[in-house]
Amino acid sequence: MSFLEKIFGNYSEKELKKINPVVDKIESYDSAMQALSDEELRAKTDEFKKRLAEGETLDDLLPEAFAAVREAAWRVRQMKPFRVQLIGGVVLHQGRIAEMKTGEGKTLVAVMPAYLNALEGKGVHIVTVNDYLASRDAEWMGEIFRFMGLSVGCILNSLTSEERQAAYACDITYATNNELGFDYLRDNMVVRIENLVQRGLHYAIIDEVDSILIDEARTPLIISGSGTKSTQLYEIADAFAKTLKKGRLLNEDDALNPLIKEELKEEGDFVVDEKAKTVTLTQQGVGKAEKFFNIENLSDPENIEILHHINNALKANYNMFKDQNYVVQNDEILIVDEFTGRIMPGRRYSDGLHQAIEAKEHVKVKRESKTLATITFQNFFNKYEKKAGMTGTAQTEEAEFRNIYNMDVVCIPTNKPVIRDDKTDVVYTTEAGKFRAVVEEIKAAHEKGQPVLVGTVTIEKSELLSAMLKREGIPHQVLNAKYHEKEAEIIALAGQKGAVTIATNMAGRGTDIQLGEGVKELGGLKIIGTERHESRRIDNQLRGRAGRQGDPGESRFYLSMEDDLMRLFGSEKTKEMVEKMGIGEDEPIEHSMLAKAIESAQKKVEGNNFATRKRLLEYDEVMNEQREIIYKERKRVLMGENLRDSIQGMIDQIVERTVDRYIPDDTPVDEWDMVGFNEGIHEIIPLKGTFLVPEDKKATVTKDSFKSDIQKIAHKLYELKEQEINDEEKMRELERVVMLKVIDSRWMDHIDDMDHMRQGISLQSYAQKDPLIEYKYVSYDMFEDMSKSIQADTVKTLYRVRVVTEAKREEVAKPMFTNKDDSVAAKPVQRKNAKIGRNDPCPCGSGKKYKNCCGRNA
């Protein structure tokens, strides 16, 4: 047991001692609940709600409420939560993470805190990793909630907006993390309050919390619209990348040593750094690029787009691998989650990488998308008033859960002791030798009828092993991202006598493997790992598929010195030791130093991954603060607030900024730039005539009095516009329509601009500056500029608009729901509610004249 495990073990023991008296109280109500009729038990829900309204807290109600729903679970599903499950339920109610081993009934554990918290009437979200589990759990556990008089909804990818509203309006809603996040983003793009589907983020119980909050945290949710750039350059860059020859650095250590100061020597056209996952052109490669694209200097700012496409093509061809990072299905590139092995529908690599992979695989290259809305899972789930999680493997990431989510981990004891035999790793010198040993082990187990579950790291390896088993005539099932539709069915049968199942890391999380008849006598389910994953958690999850609820079982990992983990992160000392042993490729290596080397390599990678996720969050925190401001302002407009005072304030600020720009403080009146001022103010506010200071006023006029006079004139002009509209409510709705459209248009441009700025900000490190600090400075200025643009565009449009039909709110980019993905097809929507002069500024906020922009075809 490691030092950290000892600390967390002691911590969990202390926490369990505090919870045990609460569990004792829950169990003390058991006989009283059993004595109630179905109607009396159901009536407890109304009683609890009444007591809440009268001042009792959820903690006051917990023992009796848990006991009531525990009895309901027995009557409806013939399942009565064990004591350890009650402990898990209390931990979840407290907003913490319950680590419970596989097969301990986490699905049932969530029912008790969900029921208790749903009594407040604010909604409870139970979050799962896929639609199948959301649908299954809503059906299984939904009967218990409905028996107790609560409503249950389930959000699936195929639902319409109206169906989503109904599901979110339920007391308890089952949904995937993706659906919840995308619905949040889409809700902040709607133009009418009745189109909102969510009703607030109150309490979330996250199943497989490590998968959702840790593994998926590096990939932000993005809603995007189609861009306008041609895709031809992706195909040209791909053709160029395929002509290049892979090279290497000849003296990297000496060149990086400040004492030697040797010039870097390289060969080939590009160099791949597998640890950093980067591909870079050598000087020779740069020369070839300049010749191929017929340019003088690839580093010239005007060639930055060509360089960007070349870098993406290099990464797509030499760092992204088919059936490992992605699969090709139905002429589409689908991302495979590196931690779970699952396909991630609706996700696309950003910054043009997805298009580069499409060009590489010769499928249709989709236009580079424009980001309309984005959020990370860290920031999304931190918006919940309270959140809790459950998983079989959280302890190794305790520090990250505490630092980023403010959630601690409590290890819940198993209902029955775990008797699974976790054998020591077997290490071979080569991958070929390792796989031959794995096949022999499977063969031996299969001959006696013992079921085997084999875990692989990639789709490619799962199919390699499958081919080897076919040659041996061993029947088996393959479960990877290509065959994920059969996941539950394949995993459910994996414990039957004679079954052989090959699975990528997904290994059917959330689905129990029940042992078939006679399997216990054969030693239970045998787990074989063919490679150590970068994260120890994933290895522990694979082991945890066997030995559920006191069942027998065994697990062992078969490794080789050629595995990516050992090749990239193993120490040179270990490699040298193995080489000196001179062991044949079919002989296993046994040495205590190897186990330490493997764990050390995993810890190294885990540290790198945590740093990456933390850095991503630090960058996203900047965007999150801005997102909060924009969404709050948007919500104000959506709620139908009277914006007149806000518009008047905008007019005052615009006048003030324009005066300050052209009339510096303490400048004599004769030196005021009145030409610049008139051009600047008329650009936004169509004031009549040219403003000059009369000779007889020059002695008395001040900058402040001049500013005040202009503001009064501007307000008077706005009042004339209100009189022209001649309808108070129509004018207020017009203000809301214009402001909503301008906010959305400018915010979407801002997200895109921030994305491009962030990509270039890393160059600041060459100037000995922290890119994150520079990013914060620049993003603050960009947000200020955007806010001023929103004010200018809103005021400019309102002064010039003439209503000929009723003002209608329409999306700047309209989300389109599909069964396949969560992306958005965005198309410009022309408003039909206002008559605009052909020479007036376009209301879309582009800065162009209407006749040269949206009014081209009018």
Side-chain angles (χ1 to χ4, degrees), residues 637 641 643 647 718 721-722 724-742 794 797-809 831-836:
V637 180
E641 275 193 34
L643 300 179
I647 302 295
Y718 196 76
K721 175 58 65 179
E722 290 175 316
E724 181 190 322
I725 302 298
N726 197 27
D727 185 322
E728 172 75 12
E729 186 43 48
K730 192 180 281 185
M731 185 67 198
R732 301 291 80 86
E733 177 61 12
L734 183 62
E735 289 168 344
R736 288 189 283 266
V737 167
V738 171
M739 194 158 169
L740 209 53
K741 177 156 184 163
V742 170
T794 303
T797 305
L798 285 170
Y799 269 117
R800 289 165 174 80
V801 76
R802 288 197 297 277
V803 176
V804 291
T805 62
E806 186 183 343
K808 290 181 183 176
R809 304 187 197 181
R831 286 182 44 242
K832 300 165 186 158
N833 56 298
K835 188 174 180 182
I836 302 164

Side-chain angles (χ1 to χ4, degrees), residues 357-375:
I357 296 171
E358 287 169 335
K360 168 194 171 184
E361 297 294 345
H362 305 295
V363 303
K364 186 183 177 186
V365 180
K366 294 179 182 174
R367 290 187 185 277
E368 195 170 333
S369 56
K370 178 180 179 179
T371 302
L372 306 178
T374 178
I375 195 168

